[in-house]
Amino acid sequence: MSRAAYSHKFVKAFPDKLDDGILYVSVEFGTAAHRCFCGCGSEVYTRFSPRDWSMKFNGETVSISPSIGNWSFACQSHYILDGGRVHWADRWSRERIELGRLLDRERKDLHYKGEPPASIPTQPKAEPARPGLLARFARWLAGK
Ligand SMILES: [Zn+2]
């Protein structure tokens, strides 16, 4: 049974058995855990980091963004946890999932290498043969 709402519980460590319909949040571990809200029983752990998920607590409800896509589970469920409500999202095609994973990996690689995006060349560096070719072209233009 997919659920439409959830409550949250701040915990130090996660219990051995997660209860249905509860989003456990451990600030200590920087992670949230819940049983997949589709009802399949899979345990879903979402890690908080600048490149993974982030959490918003407004004093009453906890929201998590971005959406949670359980692609590694049979259910393939995809939802957004916002203000205590489960917003069901589209299932993604295999291609979309692969693309998402690839982009995610790339973003993480960049993040953990600590390189600001600006330092990444947007164009391949000139090949060694280029300057020679350009010089020849320039000479040809000059009619020599
Ligand atoms: Zn599920």
Side-chain angles (χ1 to χ4, degrees):
M1 233 321 267
S2 356
R3 19 183 87 241
Y6 62 94
S7 53
H8 69 271
K9 215 180 239 181
F10 285 105
V11 291
K12 259 196 139 128
F14 298 114
D16 290 336
K17 191 191 162 290
L18 302 176
D19 280 335
D20 280 326
I22 296 178
L23 178 70
Y24 296 86
V25 180
S26 169
V27 174
E28 204 136 336
F29 290 103
T31 304
H34 67 277
R35 248 176 220 288
C36 180
F37 288 142
C38 88
C40 70
S42 304
E43 295 186 350
V44 183
Y45 289 87
T46 43
R47 199 169 64 106
F48 302 128
S49 90
R51 291 292 173 259
D52 290 290
W53 284 275
S54 53
M55 180 202 84
K56 198 178 77 187
F57 176 52
N58 67 3
E60 282 180 11
T61 58
V62 171
S63 305
I64 296 223
S65 66
S67 65
I68 296 171
N70 293 323
W71 318 130
S72 43
F73 302 143
C75 69
Q76 302 270 296
S77 57
H78 182 204
Y79 44 80
I80 297 159
L81 302 183
D82 184 40
R85 305 239 135 238
V86 184
H87 299 276
W88 290 86
D90 289 343
R91 287 185 181 196
W92 282 5
S93 68
R94 192 132 292 278
E95 292 76 33
R96 182 78 176 83
I97 294 168
E98 286 306 316
L99 184 68
R101 278 188 181 147
L102 201 71
L103 289 174
D104 198 47
R105 214 172 299 141
E106 258 171 34
R107 273 190 313 149
K108 273 183 196 155
D109 281 352
L110 294 179
H111 179 70
Y112 291 117
K113 271 184 208 149
E115 285 177 21
S119 73
I120 294 145
T122 49
Q123 289 185 339
K125 288 205 175 94
E127 294 146 44
R130 270 264 162 83
L133 270 178
L134 269 179
R136 256 184 281 161
F137 183 60
R139 275 201 298 274
W140 176 80
L141 274 182
K144 286 176 187 169

